[in-house]
Amino acid sequence: MELDVTSAFPTFIGSVRTPDAEAMNHALHDLILAEEAEYPSLGRSNIGGWHSRPDFLHRSDPTVAALTSWITGALIRMIRETAGQDAFKGTLSISAWATICRAGAYHAPHSHPDSAWSGVYYVDAGTESPDRPLSGILEFLDPRAGVEAVSAPGDPYGDPLRVRPQAGLLVLFPSWLYHWVHPYVGETPRIAVSFNATVAARSADQRSTEEDLSANPIKIHSAQHISRNGTGLTEALEDLKKPC
């Protein structure tokens, strides 16, 4: 008698390395640091650090245009891989913002409501800290309610998925998936461009709703949502206070 096992409720997370990204990253690095000097951070999920306005891709700059092309191509591939080759119809509306983490900064657990897909592109991963291996790590949380209620043989549920930033790495995930960034303790800035995408049959002049600078594209979740099998936000912040 055979046992049929079904992998139910999959959560799709994609990643791709952008080839020959050094020149683009160098230009983006300088552009983002220059913008940081122009205005203060917008308060979103970031605790400390700097968060730009969500119109980063809407500027006339060849480097930003190249990044936009990579993000758009990756999103179309992700939609086709997860929903079928004919699933992408209509218009992709993308809003994006740059973030800078310096020592002590992190991003609280959050999701991105009112979008279909979200993602992050790493311009500069910053520097690693051997005694703080989770510094600046992106962590996705198991979205299934109740997985932390009881233990099962092998503990197959509740584990977080962690991604170590690398310059040129682009990560895609469903916008409803809660995630956070561990406190960063590196010596140089950790720089990234995050984005939200919606798919709709709308004209270009209707994109203004995506560019509303007063809108908050991020929903903050309480720290209690952190997985029992992951490193909790409280523990991470306590660890940050310890001397190196």
Side-chain angles (χ1 to χ4, degrees):
M1 180 174 61
E2 284 191 18
L3 172 66
D4 291 329
V5 178
T6 301
S7 178
F9 316 117
T11 302
F12 300 109
I13 298 175
S15 63
V16 61
R17 290 299 303 272
T18 306
D20 304 319
E22 290 81 4
M24 181 177 73
N25 288 341
H26 180 76
L28 287 171
H29 180 282
D30 292 347
L31 180 67
I32 292 169
L33 288 180
E35 184 165 339
E36 179 194 26
E38 294 178 2
Y39 59 87
S41 173
L42 275 67
R44 296 296 187 256
S45 70
N46 57 303
I47 310 300
W50 181 81
H51 186 300
S52 82
R53 294 187 292 256
D55 62 348
F56 186 77
L57 298 184
H58 299 281
R59 63 188 68 220
S60 180
D61 183 280
T63 303
V64 174
L67 176 62
T68 303
S69 178
W70 279 111
I71 290 175
T72 303
L75 282 166
I76 293 174
R77 288 175 59 189
M78 189 68 175
I79 294 169
R80 289 174 175 168
E81 287 290 333
T82 58
Q85 289 297 312
D86 298 326
F88 177 71
K89 295 179 181 179
T91 303
L92 267 179
S93 296
I94 306 172
S95 60
W97 56 96
T99 62
I100 301 175
C101 282
R102 292 185 171 84
Y106 65 96
H107 289 255
H110 64 281
S111 64
H112 299 248
D114 302 322
S115 298
W117 292 96
S118 295
V120 58
Y121 176 79
Y122 294 106
V123 176
D124 189 334
T127 52
E128 296 185 13
S129 179
D131 56 343
R132 303 286 174 80
L134 295 179
S135 168
I137 291 290
L138 170 63
E139 181 171 308
F140 295 102
L141 307 178
D142 192 325
R144 295 166 296 182
V147 296
E148 301 174 5
V150 295
S151 294
D155 275 335
Y157 312 113
D159 279 341
L161 175 67
R162 293 172 179 150
V163 177
R164 183 174 297 280
Q166 301 175 48
L169 177 66
L170 193 155
V171 181
L172 299 157
F173 52 91
S175 300
W176 49 260
L177 184 61
Y178 279 93
H179 55 286
W180 67 299
V181 174
H182 285 256
Y184 177 64
V185 297
E187 296 180 356
T188 60
R190 174 190 183 276
I191 302 176
V193 176
S194 298
F195 55 90
N196 288 333
T198 58
V199 182
R202 60 180 65 183
S203 60
D205 61 352
Q206 291 175 306
R207 290 188 304 172
S208 60
T209 57
E210 307 296 333
E211 301 172 25
D212 183 359
L213 301 187
S214 65
N216 187 348
I218 293 173
K219 179 181 179 182
I220 305 298
H221 196 286
S222 66
Q224 282 72 25
H225 190 87
I226 293 288
S227 166
R228 60 177 169 82
N229 291 330
T231 298
L233 179 56
T234 301
E235 292 95 327
L237 294 180
E238 287 299 320
D239 184 63
L240 189 62
K241 299 176 183 178
K242 297 177 183 177
C244 297

